[in-house]
Amino acid sequence: MPKRPVVDAELCIGCGHCAEVCPQVFALEDEKSQVIGPDNCGSCSCLEAIDTCPVQAISWEGGA
């Protein structure tokens, strides 16, 4: 299973930074970030979104 980004809704503050950095993968829905395209990290920087999340609500799931 490839690595995919996941958002911890309990931690997310809905700042929208991840959606600005990587709109093909993240979107704000109900004032929280949601992963809308988990397989689209190749088209943007999921790693930047993870590293710059102010509350560390985004992480990787899966992978080897």
Side-chain angles (χ1 to χ4, degrees), residues 8-62:
D8 183 333
E10 295 292 317
L11 294 176
C12 180
I13 59 172
C15 71
H17 179 70
C18 58
E20 289 178 19
V21 169
C22 209
Q24 298 89 342
V25 177
F26 302 98
L28 287 181
E29 296 177 9
D30 297 325
E31 299 180 8
K32 298 284 183 169
S33 177
Q34 302 287 319
V35 177
I36 58 167
D39 298 319
N40 293 333
C41 285
S43 63
C44 60
S45 181
C46 285
L47 185 58
E48 181 182 349
I50 290 169
D51 288 346
T52 59
C53 177
V55 293
Q56 300 175 341
I58 309 169
S59 62
W60 292 114
E61 172 182 77

